[in-house]
Amino acid sequence: MKCRLGYVSLALDLEKVTSSSVVTYRHYKSLTSEQKINKLKKVTLSNLQDLEKILNYNAENDIHFYRLTSNLVPLATHPDVVDWDYRKFFSIDFEYIGKLIRKYDMRVDLHADQFNVINSTNKDIVEKTITNLYFLAMILEDIGLYNGKIIIHVGSSMGGKKESINRFKTNFKHFPKIVTDKIIIENDDKIFNIIDVLKLCNELKVPMVLDAHHYRCNNEGENLYEYIGDIFDTWNNDVWLPKIHYSSGRDSKLDRKHSDYIFAKEFIDFVEQVRNVQNRDFDIMLESKKKEIALFKLMEDIKELKKDWSYIDKTTFEL
């Protein structure tokens, strides 16, 4: 069984490099017409240039799995920002980013922000979610990641679980196919557990993302490892390997907040238990405050603790 580790968005070793610089709408409104478009273009270009630096850094450090920021283009979906055709201005830049990702054979995905709620009871929020998820889908399309994925939670629990899940299924059918083809659904740490999300994913025929820490914080006593095979099977018709999100609680095992680093012994136990019930390759996205630094530290800790595992490169191991 082979596992590749990835990290989220910002490479901390690269000082003053970020692909998610923003322009607030308040600042945007204070500018002249010419200044507005120039500001948006300047920040977007900076984000794309920094993303190139991050991708090169990832390749140099054998990082094969990476989560893009969802804030690559400022104010891209704001209803009052008109004449901001970023796709026209940056089509060549997006193509170049896509070539880099393919050159490095890197798995890249996106996570929708929490204000995107497919099953909201508020129609305006649902419409905004359609707009925002379409934007993310087009980012993936523009960089040539036609099979790229967008992670999202089930969302609202208004009216109870059953009604909320039914509302998700009903609304999902009205989303553009370019969006629904890219959606993958993750269990959360408060309401919708692995059983809820697995059933939903099977009904919608979309892959499920297991978040191991969310399972720790939100379960009904079910044994996670009895469901691993079924969760992985939701990926059977996809081009990608199954993926898992993994983090450690900040102040305790059940603390919902993420720790700076990963507790290696717990991680090793988790991976070995997964291997015992489902001996197939999968990718692991580490959600730690220390980003890629936590990834490298985890690999160093594993090598100290597990001499019998094989280490393919800086971020990939096999057992």
Side-chain angles (χ1 to χ4, degrees), residues 216-254:
R216 290 190 209 106
C217 298
N218 175 31
N219 65 77
E220 297 176 2
E222 66 276 6
N223 182 343
L224 169 63
Y225 302 103
E226 292 179 2
Y227 290 89
I228 290 289
D230 291 333
I231 292 170
F232 280 8
D233 284 348
T234 64
W235 291 85
N236 282 351
N237 297 320
D238 204 88
V239 300
W240 298 109
L241 293 171
K243 63 168 284 189
I244 286 175
H245 292 172
Y246 194 94
S247 57
S248 297
R250 188 182 69 182
D251 297 324
S252 68
K253 193 171 183 178
L254 298 182

Side-chain angles (χ1 to χ4, degrees), residues 57-90:
Y57 170 84
N58 289 348
E60 290 165 5
N61 287 279
D62 300 321
I63 297 172
H64 315 284
F65 188 23
Y66 174 67
R67 183 185 298 169
L68 284 172
T69 175
S70 59
N71 297 314
L72 195 61
V73 183
L75 300 180
T77 61
H78 197 289
D80 297 324
V81 177
V82 296
D83 300 325
W84 174 212
D85 190 354
Y86 69 90
R87 297 182 68 201
K88 178 183 73 175
F89 294 124
F90 294 101

